[in-house]
Amino acid sequence: MTYQALWWHKEGERIICDLCPHRCSLKKGQKGLCGVRIHRGEAGLFSLNYGLVSSMALDPVEKKPLYHWNPGTEIFSIGSIGCNMHCPFCQNWEISTCSSTVPLTYIPSSDLLRLVRKEQVRSVAFTYNEPLIWYEYVMDTAQILKKEGIPVVLVSNGMINEAPLKDLLPYVDAANIDVKAFDEETYRFMGGNLNTVKQTVETMITAGIHVELTSLIVTGIHKDTLWIESLAKWAASLSPSMVLHISRYFPCYKWNEKPTPITMLREAKSRAEKHLHFVYLGNVTETVFTLCPSCKATILERRGYNTYIQAMDREGRCAKCGFPIVTLTGNED
């Protein structure tokens, strides 16, 4: 399937893609760095992955991860192929690199709505690959879902220009943004741009989107945890209640360094907690608690992806002191 792309302009015989900060300058027949946008001559720029689905599943919302948005509910997760970064440790590298071995199924936007209704879930997550380079399909589908009262989640690297992001955000309810480092040099190594990611998070917060952050500490790339504290300070300047997930890396794709030491993860968590109320470790086996920053009551307990409410009212506040803890949307029981 091909589909006329949004966000591009011509410069002579080339097309400049305006969707993400790479602003790929494409000759006729050339694909962008994402692998899924192509210059088709006089016809213009086209999306190669419109409606093409590589993966879909029912997940606990905590798996996205979102710990403070409709906890304990299921979410319909769906993804395609392509990515506008090239992390050497990518966990989903077959789909992010558009491997020919990945089976694809065409699912029109209207059919996705039917599938979501059939599964009787409250929300939909665009995830697995980078959803922002699946832009046209996500935009079309999110508008349909929004009209039907079904919340939309983006699990993204945040690599999108501000104008297309602002066009999409009216149809988005929540996001988890992967902040992969906190310096431009490391971001360039992974094919990204830190300032763009920060701008994406800030734009989402201004638009009223529920945002949580994830940072993977990768052995051999992140030499220490000082950057996590810098990240936490910036996040706290937006809101001290911003949720930060600090995740453990395991060898994958082109990166074979040892898994992140647990001691390094705990040090990072300790640094982040100087500035943020809610910091969690990911890809580790332990019971996780959400404590009220005000009265220290245990609000939620998580064992794996099972979430147990201990002291939360129907508005997502601490049942003891009323401090706002989580965002609840949709048809909560």
Side-chain angles (χ1 to χ4, degrees):
M1 294 294 298
T2 59
Y3 188 89
Q4 183 78 59
L6 301 170
W7 298 101
W8 56 273
H9 70 276
K10 287 187 176 182
E11 288 188 2
E13 295 185 353
R14 288 179 174 265
I15 280 179
I16 310 300
C17 179
D18 296 314
L19 181 62
C20 92
H22 291 305
R23 297 192 185 275
C24 294
S25 176
L26 306 175
K27 297 183 292 185
K28 182 179 178 180
Q30 188 177 10
K31 297 177 185 177
L33 289 172
C34 62
V36 293
R37 295 167 79 77
I38 189 169
H39 179 180
R40 283 278 170 84
E42 291 301 316
L45 188 69
F46 278 74
S47 166
L48 295 174
N49 64 346
Y50 186 91
L52 294 181
V53 174
S54 64
S55 308
M56 57 183 177
L58 288 182
D59 289 323
V61 73
E62 286 80 6
K63 195 173 182 179
K64 296 304 91 190
L66 288 173
Y67 276 14
H68 285 240
W69 189 81
N70 293 335
T73 64
E74 282 192 317
I75 191 166
F76 189 96
S77 298
I78 186 169
S80 185
I81 54 173
C83 186
N84 54 358
M85 292 185 69
H86 49 247
C87 304
F89 48 82
C90 181
Q91 302 294 302
N92 294 320
W93 64 269
E94 293 94 342
I95 62 175
S96 69
T97 61
C98 306
S99 170
S100 59
T101 63
V102 176
L104 298 170
T105 303
Y106 177 64
I107 300 180
S109 298
S110 56
D111 282 6
L112 178 57
L113 176 61
R114 178 181 53 80
L115 288 171
V116 172
R117 282 176 166 166
K118 179 182 177 182
E119 298 295 345
Q120 297 182 324
V121 291
R122 294 179 179 175
S123 53
V124 173
F126 294 97
T127 180
Y128 302 132
N129 74 310
E130 175 47 54
L132 294 176
I133 53 96
W134 205 20
Y135 185 88
E136 293 76 16
Y137 183 75
V138 171
M139 172 66 86
D140 290 349
T141 307
Q143 291 183 61
I144 293 172
L145 294 169
K146 187 75 170 181
K147 185 177 179 181
E148 298 298 319
I150 299 171
V152 168
V153 171
L154 299 176
V155 181
S156 170
N157 62 26
M159 282 280 291
I160 185 172
N161 290 330
E162 188 172 17
L165 176 65
K166 285 184 173 179
D167 270 11
L168 179 60
L169 287 186
Y171 312 104
V172 175
D173 296 86
N176 185 292
I177 303 299
D178 191 352
V179 183
K180 298 173 183 289
F182 215 65
D183 66 279
E184 290 291 359
E185 182 180 357
T186 306
Y187 251 94
R188 282 195 296 272
F189 171 71
M190 293 182 279
N193 179 284
L194 174 60
N195 281 335
T196 297
V197 177
K198 290 170 67 178
Q199 178 181 276
T200 293
V201 172
E202 291 165 5
T203 300
M204 287 181 165
I205 294 295
T206 300
I209 308 300
H210 175 94
V211 178
E212 300 188 18
L213 307 178
T214 293
S215 291
L216 186 71
I217 298 182
V218 182
T219 312
I221 292 179
H222 302 117
K223 308 300 183 184
D224 56 46
T225 62
L226 294 174
W227 69 278
I228 288 287
E229 186 160 359
S230 298
L231 164 61
K233 286 180 181 178
W234 164 74
S237 73
L238 304 176
S239 170
S241 289
M242 179 84 75
V243 179
L244 174 61
H245 304 265
I246 301 173
S247 288
R248 191 182 191 196
Y249 143 86
F250 290 93
C252 193
Y253 191 29
K254 299 178 180 179
W255 208 253
N256 297 309
E257 298 284 344
K258 293 180 180 179
T260 318
I262 296 294
T263 53
M264 193 174 187
L265 291 174
R266 298 200 186 285
E267 179 183 286
K269 185 173 186 287
S270 178
R271 289 185 183 278
E273 286 177 332
K274 295 176 185 177
H275 310 282
L276 296 170
H277 295 323
F278 305 113
V279 183
Y280 303 101
L281 296 185
N283 292 339
V284 297
T285 303
E286 60 180 31
T287 301
V288 178
F289 298 95
T290 294
L291 303 181
C292 175
S294 179
C295 71
K296 306 306 177 185
T298 298
I299 309 299
L300 297 165
E301 178 181 345
R302 301 177 189 85
R303 301 172 199 158
Y305 293 123
N306 296 315
T307 298
Y308 304 92
I309 296 174
Q310 304 289 5
M312 187 177 77
D313 68 17
R314 294 175 63 85
E315 282 72 44
R317 301 172 304 198
C318 173
K320 295 187 176 181
C321 74
F323 190 94
I325 304 293
V326 308
T327 301
L328 300 176
T329 65
N331 302 311
E332 288 77 35
D333 297 323

